[in-house]
Amino acid sequence: RYTDQITDNISDKEAAKLLKKQAQRNHGRPLKRDSQVQIKEEHYSKCQGRDNSCYITLLLGEDWIFLVLLGLVMALVSWGVDYASAKTVQAYKWTYRALHPNVPLQYVVWVAFPLGLILFAASFCHFVSPQAVGSGIPELKTIMRGVVLKEYLTLKAFVAKVVALTAGLGSGMPVGKEGPFVHIASICAVVLSKFMSIFCGVYEQPYYYTDVLTVGCAVGVGCCFGTPLGGVLFSIEVTSTYFAVRNYWRGFFAATFSAFVFRVLAVWNKDAVTITALFRTNFRMDFPFDLQELPAFAIIGICSGFLGAFFVYLNRQVVLGIRRHKALSQFLTKYRLIYPAVITFCIASVTFPHGFGQFMAGEVRLETISTLFDNYTWIKHSGDTQILGKSAAWIHPKVSVFVIILLFFLVKFCMAVIATTMPIPCGGFMPVFVLGAAFGRLIGEIMASLFPNGILFDDILYQILPGGYAVIGAAALTGAVSHTVSTAVICFELTGQISHILPMMVAVILANMVAQSLQPSLYDSIIQVKKLPYLPDLGWNHISKYNIFVEDIMVQDVKFVSSNCKYRDLQAVLQSTTVKSLPLVDSPESMILLGSVERSELQALLQTHLSPERRRLLNREMQQKLNEAPYDGPWANLPKLKHESFAYVDEDEDTEEKGEVRERSGQTPPVLRCQATIVIEFGHLFSVKKKLMIFWLTCYKEQFYSIWQTVLDRWRKMKKMLLALAIDSSPFLCQIDAWEQEELNKNVCFDSCRVDPSPFQLVERTSLHKTHTLFSLLGLSHAYVTSMGKLRGVLALEELQKAIEGSTRSGVRLRPPLASFRDINRTSTNTKVGQGVVPSQATPSKFKLETFVQQSHTNLSL
């Protein structure tokens, strides 16, 4: 019966319904094509003889055209943002240096310039698109999980993100651009896919949406620094739980093309001599490091793991601390610009070169990475600073290099934690990258001081390279914060050298091991803070995920709709729940799952059934039936109301409707006739009002007075009609309510409602591990739990998320030891679930068995 109903009835009815609707919608008009796929097919069928035009259309719909356009657009956007922010920084430096003798004015410029840019960025995001605030990677992880976040992938968010990010980078604040560029590239990919749907309808398909976002994330990282390989790997690690291999070549192709165009534009603008790495280093290749240095590299990795976890913890606590303080939170919400203004003012004041900034290389705030990757050993050239170039800012005549680097690391650590919470487009990758480079440089300088002559190997002394330590520290700390290993590949592409591949991989892996055991990644932490509906990862070392089953965490009180329910029941279910879809069962007794229906479909079905249009239609049909027999009531001898008695008639009124009103006016009771006449009179009054304006401008006053007299006469007639209607209208006013109550008692007809005949289903004994895998792989929001076709419960993403978080913290009660024995003796009388259904009482033997199980479980626990 279930198979017959699904395969024969529903499919046939659905097809007939769609054909009927399409025929009614296009009656007397040319056929309207529903999708771009039909447009394409019709276009191909018409131009089979014209091979050139069809070939061009097919060519423009290819994947590589979309990938080339995406890479080209993102390369232009990346270069434009870098160019605008670089010019802003140049103006910043020139203004500061032009006021060299006057220190107070230099301080004003040093503080006011970034303050104005940050306030502009915050205001622009607030008024144009608040969704542009932040990194964007946490939201993209949620979107790629299958959750719909409104206004996050629109052109408004694109414009706000690009403009505000340019201002933020030009201010010199410790904000990154890699996270925002992932968001920007994803928006660009979605917009381009809509454009490409003109040529190829496959871009409209829902499954292709995730593929487009995956490619966009890869391009965003690749074009940011010109690192296509690391960009693709980083995007896979950060945004995807399960990656489709079919998107691998798409990501590499688009990211490589984007990075190539980005570097070519730099050469064209004379920012570089040729296509080269962004932060190119010149470490020696013959013997870059010695095996005796591996313990130091391992220390960098382990310490970076602790520092990365501490960074994530502090970042989360800053946001949660502001939210917990209700008065402060309300104040900052009302005055949104105060928070970024205070943070920018404090950071700029601390880094002022003539103040505390002289002890933390404040002058090279904007060229920190290139100086930290320097080949020279600063501890050896503290007396001769001319050879160091820009790195001479790290040398202070009265303070040791170690103190300066340590102060820089500590102050920048606090700055980065707070700055990434500002309401502007900002990422955490580059600030953490700089922190890791400073920490690695500190370890490298310490090693250089411990071994001033170098390390002896095979009777040859090899000098220690602190710059190599800085590169390894940058990769390790960013890997610890983001929980990725691909940061090592990004560092290789940024520096242009692969000489430190072994120690870098050791440090990154150790940093990930430590950080993952202490804190979630920065992006997962932001997801938790924002309470986005994202499914966390399962702990790989917890055996409880195999001992918890769906029946332990599912919701048994399921709100459902039965195939034989009434409209009143449907209305009650819709009013008592807010879920997006409801299960459709055969009957409350059998609970056989037939499918699921969207909430919008049920609401439309109920509204259509109780709509005024349907009520008028039924009323008209009823009156037509009444008109077939003469009226013999007490009002039969009253004079008829004739429509021809009125002097002015609207020429736009339908003549057929007039005739129908005239025909009915003599055969219906006076209450209904009076109502119809009042409606007609109101229509004529509006028509006369329009004519009054015309005659006032074009005719004489006498004609206007004549029309006005007609209006007064009609108003007197309507007053008499209203007075007569007030006597006998009280029973009529209750007719609508009585009609609705009568209609609510009828059975629901699901013929005009789209039913999903195959919703995703789980069995009661599905483990938590398998459930998590299915939800992550398929992007499910909920699943129905069935047993032999009968609905037992429902498992939503929220319940699964709570179960996973509880499984790692003993938050979910594990099944008793004798749970399997209890399941075997379970009777079918107490397995009903549903709306308003109370489980039947257990039998005495069942009660005794459950009591014995609980006592046994308690004894075993003790």
Side-chain angles (χ1 to χ4, degrees), residues 119 122 126 130 330-341 423:
L119 292 180
H126 175 66
Q330 293 177 357
F331 177 77
L332 295 179
T333 303
K334 185 177 181 180
Y335 304 99
R336 298 177 180 274
L337 299 181
I338 292 182
Y339 183 70

Side-chain angles (χ1 to χ4, degrees), residues 598-657:
E598 295 291 334
R599 182 184 184 88
S600 58
E601 292 286 335
L602 296 175
Q603 289 176 343
L605 183 64
L606 183 61
Q607 291 175 1
T608 303
H609 187 71
L610 301 178
S611 62
E613 293 80 6
R614 183 173 177 271
R615 186 176 66 248
R616 296 192 198 101
L617 179 61
L618 295 177
N619 190 17
R620 190 179 300 115
E621 293 177 355
M622 182 183 66
Q623 289 182 4
Q624 289 178 357
K625 293 180 180 180
L626 292 176
N627 291 337
E628 295 177 358
Y631 176 69
D632 298 332
W635 308 94
N637 297 325
L638 289 179
K640 300 179 181 180
L641 293 174
K642 295 186 178 180
H643 185 66
E644 297 88 342
S645 61
F646 303 114
Y648 288 90
V649 179
D650 190 5
E651 63 275 7
D652 296 332
E653 189 174 359
D654 192 2
T655 57
E656 296 180 359
E657 186 177 353

Side-chain angles (χ1 to χ4, degrees), residues 334-355:
K334 185 177 181 180
Y335 304 99
R336 298 177 180 274
L337 299 181
I338 292 182
Y339 183 70
V342 171
I343 293 177
T344 305
F345 177 79
C346 294
I347 292 177
S349 299
V350 170
T351 58
F352 183 58
H354 294 284

Side-chain angles (χ1 to χ4, degrees), residues 35 408 591 856:
S35 64
F408 174 84
M591 292 299 294
S856 301

Side-chain angles (χ1 to χ4, degrees), residues 23 156-157 174 441 608 738:
K156 290 173 57 178
R441 186 80 193 193
T608 303

Side-chain angles (χ1 to χ4, degrees), residues 481-548:
V481 171
S482 60
H483 288 189
T484 58
V485 185
S486 57
T487 53
V489 183
I490 294 178
C491 284
F492 296 151
E493 293 182 281
L494 283 176
T495 59
Q497 286 189 298
I498 200 172
S499 56
H500 291 80
I501 180 172
L502 179 61
M504 188 176 295
M505 292 303 300
V506 170
V508 170
I509 291 174
L510 289 175
N512 271 272
M513 290 176 59
V514 175
Q516 291 184 17
S517 62
L518 297 176
Q519 288 290 327
S521 67
L522 179 62
Y523 309 116
D524 292 338
S525 176
I526 296 175
I527 288 174
Q528 294 177 4
V529 170
K530 292 185 177 182
K531 297 181 180 180
L532 297 175
Y534 182 75
L535 195 61
D537 294 331
L538 281 174
W540 59 274
N541 57 343
H542 296 281
I543 195 62
S544 59
K545 62 185 178 181
Y546 300 101
N547 297 333
I548 299 176

